């Protein structure tokens, strides 16, 4: 099944920001486009707004004047659904209410031809439930664009329970012909991106709620150590706290209140107070005129240790050993089975975050995961109240000698980056095991949809086969609510072997 022919008219119903963006994508790709909105005059206003954006593309040399004029000639606002009768594809971008969408598609089914593809841009509702109102749900599919649709390349092509393979394939190929990067997805709450991205926000909020660190410090660690483009607090301020919480709540409810997707009480209070982020002037941060952005906690300068003793290769942080030597700190190596720690002159240990707490040990300082320890500009350390101050000072000085800013947070198991990445990896393996999407499509979706530095499976391959499982298993022992219980799919990945010896009967 191939993409729609460019001569085939495409309709967009709903002319808000997303509807206009989708219409612009189809228009620039070469289709005749119809715009319809139930509110009188809105379609004409949207057509004018799209025309203005085409003008700006010409000014930026991203579109020729001739192509703009041709696109404008193909764009037509209409006053009724009956004028969409000749369309080969209708994409809906109306209010996120199931009854409203079902009523719209029932009306469309009475107007368009039997072979017209019907699509919803819903981000939170069930594609299956919307299509369930149709006489022929086989031609119904989800086409989830990301905002702003003309700029962001990702499109989740969602197959409902009754969607025909031919319909999903045609939608997929059409999105690709429009210059987008489509990924195929089964109809699951949150689809790919909004399902797997929940821990990025949830774990940052959990660290804050446990008074492990303040928002500015958590955001700085996620950016400067984890390699994420934005921290969770600043990103949700940009998205809108009400919007982000609504998606989280929808996914949580759709999974029958699964604790792994539970919303944040701190975010709920923020929304209740009207602090919705940038759009309201206040969110986690203050955006009003004259407000100062809080600085992340950064430790004072400390002397580096004269030497460290390496027990093992530090696993995912093995590059640190080379960096420590380059910084002029002596590294003494001791062979030890399963050793992954540095012993400092104080006798204390420096250990990569593993889901345990400093309070459990005599003298341990944990350090957080980094996307790239060479490129990271900040490292988080975690210690308990009983940790030897000299051990913490030596650990701080060591990372400062490597050119890193150091943020000391509370005794948080799994810290900040490590616990978020481990949970993202777990949800990704669980999604593949449940037939939601392929590993390749999930990695693509997370890189393009939310700008992650790596996809979950890319992280997993880099960190090692059992890393995420082991960390979550330790976290689960310390918080048996189920929030951190690793999935069966992750367990199988971590411990299954290609061939078992001596299998019993």
């Amino acid at each position: 099944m191939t993409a729609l022919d460019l001569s085939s008219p495409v309709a967009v119903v709903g002319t808000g920001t997303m509807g206009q963006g989708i219409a612009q994508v189809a228009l620039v790709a070469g289709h005749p486009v119809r715009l319809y909105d139930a509110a009188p005059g809105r379609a004409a206003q949207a057509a004018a707004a799209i025309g203005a954006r085409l003008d700006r593309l010409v000014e930026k040399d991203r579109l020729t004047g001739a192509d703009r004029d041709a696109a404008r000639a193909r764009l037509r606002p209409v006053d009724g659904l009956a004028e969409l009768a000749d369309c080969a594809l209708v994409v809906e971008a109306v209010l996120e209410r199931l009854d409203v969408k079902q009523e719209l598609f029932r009306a469309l089914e009475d107007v368009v031809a039997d072979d017209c593809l019907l699509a919803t841009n819903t981000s939170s509702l069930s594609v299956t439930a919307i299509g369930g109102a149709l006489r022929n749900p086989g031609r119904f599919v989800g086409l989830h664009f990301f905002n702003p649709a003309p700029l962001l390349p990702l499109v989740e092509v969602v197959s409902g329970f009754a969607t025909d393979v031919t319909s999903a394939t045609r939608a997929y190929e059409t999105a690709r012909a429009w210059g987008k990067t489509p990924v195929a997805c089964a109809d699951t709450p949150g689809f790919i991106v909004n399902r797997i991205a929940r821990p990025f926000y949830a774990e940052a909020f959990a660290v804050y709620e446990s008074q492990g660190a303040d928002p500015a410090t958590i955001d700085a660690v996620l950016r400067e150590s984890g390699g994420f483009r934005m921290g969770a607090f600043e990103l949700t301020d940009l998205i809108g706290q009400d919007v982000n919480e609504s998606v989280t709540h929808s996914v949580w409810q759709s999974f029958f209140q699964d604790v792994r997707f539970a919303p944040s009480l701190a975010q709920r209070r923020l929304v209740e107070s009207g602090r919705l982020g940038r759009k309201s002037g206040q969110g986690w941060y203050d955006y009003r005129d004259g407000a100062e952005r809080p600085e992340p906690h950064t430790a004072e300068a400390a002397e580096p240790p004269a030497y460290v003793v390496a027990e093992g290769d530090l696993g995912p942080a093995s590059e640190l050993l080379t960096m420590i030597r380059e910084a002029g700190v002596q590294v003494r190596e001791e062979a030890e089975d399963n050793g992954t720690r540095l012993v400092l002159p104080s006798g204390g240990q420096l250990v990569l975050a593993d889901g345990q707490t400093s309070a459990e040990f005599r003298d341990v300082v944990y350090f957080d995961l980094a996307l790239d320890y060479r490129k990271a500009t900040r490292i988080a350390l975690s210690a308990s109240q009983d940790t030897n101050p000299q051990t913490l000072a030596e650990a701080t000085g060591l990372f400062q000698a490597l050119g890193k800013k150091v943020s000391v947070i509370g005794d948080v198991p799994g810290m900040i980056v490590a616990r978020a990445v481990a949970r993202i990896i777990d949800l990704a393996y669980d999604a593949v095991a449940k037939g939601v999407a392929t590993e390749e499509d999930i990695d693509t979706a997370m890189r393009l949809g939310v700008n992650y530095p790596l996809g979950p499976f890319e992280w997993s391959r880099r960190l090692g086969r059992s890393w995420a499982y082991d960390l979550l298993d330790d976290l689960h022992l310390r918080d048996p609510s189920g929030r951190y219980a690793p999935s069966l799919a992750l367990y199988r990945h971590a411990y299954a072997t290609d061939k078992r010896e001596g299998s019993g009967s």
Side-chain angles (χ1 to χ4, degrees):
M1 182 64 67
T2 58
L4 294 176
D5 188 273
L6 290 181
S7 63
S8 302
V10 171
V12 177
V13 178
T15 58
T17 301
M18 185 58 76
Q20 290 181 31
I22 296 169
Q24 182 179 327
V25 170
L27 191 65
V28 172
H31 288 274
V33 173
R34 313 275 191 271
L35 285 176
Y36 172 75
D37 197 292
R42 286 285 299 275
Q45 292 171 8
I50 293 170
R53 283 199 290 273
L54 295 179
D55 288 340
R56 288 195 290 273
L57 290 178
V58 173
E59 292 169 2
K60 296 177 181 178
D61 292 326
R62 296 178 184 173
L63 192 69
T64 67
D67 287 342
R68 173 200 57 196
D69 295 342
R72 278 181 163 171
R74 294 193 301 270
L75 180 62
R76 179 159 65 91
V78 299
D79 296 324
L81 292 180
E83 296 181 71
L84 310 182
D86 63 338
C87 289
L89 166 65
V90 180
V91 184
E92 162 273 317
V94 302
L95 188 66
E96 282 286 274
R97 274 181 43 188
L98 179 62
D99 59 336
V100 172
K101 293 180 188 292
Q102 287 179 327
E103 182 180 356
L104 169 65
F105 282 110
R106 278 194 292 262
L108 282 168
E109 204 170 27
D110 291 334
V111 170
V112 299
D114 291 342
D115 60 352
C116 175
L117 191 62
L118 299 177
T120 175
N121 183 58
T122 186
S123 61
S124 61
L125 299 176
S126 164
V127 171
T128 300
I130 299 171
L134 299 178
R135 295 189 300 272
N136 177 19
R139 62 165 161 178
F140 187 73
V141 67
L143 275 178
H144 181 217
F145 290 77
F146 288 73
N147 192 30
L151 296 180
L152 294 185
L154 186 69
V155 177
E156 292 176 320
V157 181
V158 186
S159 293
F161 186 78
T163 302
D164 292 336
V165 173
T166 53
S167 298
T169 303
R170 171 155 283 184
Y172 183 99
E173 294 300 333
T174 297
R176 185 158 66 176
W178 290 357
K180 296 301 180 182
T181 302
V183 292
C185 176
D187 185 19
T188 183
F191 310 142
I192 297 174
V193 172
N194 281 329
R195 171 179 177 149
I196 295 174
R198 293 348 295 162
F200 177 74
Y201 312 109
E203 294 312 310
F205 298 161
V207 172
Y208 167 74
E209 289 176 334
S210 68
Q211 300 187 60
D214 60 278
T217 299
I218 296 169
D219 277 353
V221 172
L222 286 168
R223 287 193 315 270
E224 299 173 41
S225 183
F228 293 94
R229 184 167 297 184
M230 298 181 74
F233 296 89
E234 58 191 343
L235 180 55
T236 52
D237 268 356
L238 178 63
I239 294 168
Q241 297 302 331
D242 53 339
V243 174
N244 181 262
E245 194 217 21
S246 176
V247 172
T248 298
H249 195 271
S250 174
V251 171
W252 174 62
Q253 289 283 21
S254 297
F255 276 115
F256 308 105
Q257 299 186 357
D258 186 330
V259 68
R260 295 177 303 164
F261 301 99
S264 160
L265 181 59
Q267 188 180 37
R268 175 91 290 261
R269 294 291 179 259
L270 203 67
V271 172
E272 288 174 339
S273 71
R275 297 187 176 191
L276 307 181
R278 289 180 179 271
K279 62 186 177 183
S280 69
Q282 285 181 286
W284 296 111
Y285 301 107
D286 192 338
Y287 300 93
R288 293 172 298 181
D289 291 343
E292 293 185 9
R293 180 70 174 261
E295 293 293 326
H297 168 77
T298 302
E300 297 292 332
E303 287 294 320
Y307 68 90
V308 295
V309 179
E311 295 182 352
D313 64 1
L314 298 189
S318 58
E319 178 68 10
L320 285 175
L321 295 179
T322 301
M323 295 168 60
I324 292 169
R325 291 189 181 95
E326 292 171 352
V329 177
Q330 182 185 2
V331 177
R332 304 172 185 173
E333 296 192 46
E334 290 187 3
E336 181 169 321
D337 291 342
N338 299 318
T340 55
R341 64 186 66 85
L342 294 175
V343 180
L344 299 164
S346 64
Q349 298 178 13
L350 186 57
V351 182
L352 176 62
D354 60 7
Q356 301 182 82
T357 62
S358 293
E360 300 169 52
F361 304 98
R362 182 182 64 82
D363 195 12
V364 167
V365 172
Y366 282 102
F367 66 95
D368 207 351
L369 180 68
L371 172 68
D372 184 325
Y373 282 98
R374 282 197 177 274
K375 294 180 180 179
T377 58
R378 183 180 299 271
I379 294 293
L381 300 180
S382 175
S384 75
Q385 293 181 341
D386 296 328
T387 301
N388 182 349
Q390 181 60 27
T391 298
L392 182 57
E394 289 173 350
T396 299
L398 178 63
F399 279 105
Q400 288 173 340
L402 304 184
K404 315 301 180 188
K405 296 177 183 177
V406 174
S407 292
V408 179
I409 69 171
D411 191 11
V412 178
M415 302 192 68
I416 298 171
V417 179
R419 70 196 286 180
V421 168
R423 287 206 58 218
I424 288 167
I425 289 171
D426 182 49
L427 291 187
Y429 275 100
D430 185 55
V432 170
K434 290 182 167 68
V436 172
T438 65
E439 291 186 9
E440 181 181 4
D441 276 357
I442 288 175
D443 275 353
T444 298
M446 302 313 290
R447 286 196 314 270
L448 299 183
V450 277
N451 289 312
Y452 282 6
L454 294 175
F457 298 99
E458 292 172 316
W459 269 112
S460 181
R461 287 189 290 272
R462 176 180 289 198
L463 295 170
R465 194 172 187 87
S466 65
W467 179 86
Y469 178 86
D470 291 343
L471 187 144
L472 290 175
D473 195 40
D474 277 337
L475 270 169
H476 178 54
L477 288 174
R478 287 150 185 82
D479 178 1
S481 65
R483 179 187 181 103
Y484 301 104
S487 66
L488 179 59
L490 187 64
Y491 173 80
R492 284 173 171 155
H493 169 74
Y495 291 108
T497 57
D498 293 334
K499 179 188 276 187
R500 288 192 174 188
E501 296 181 2
S503 58
S505 59

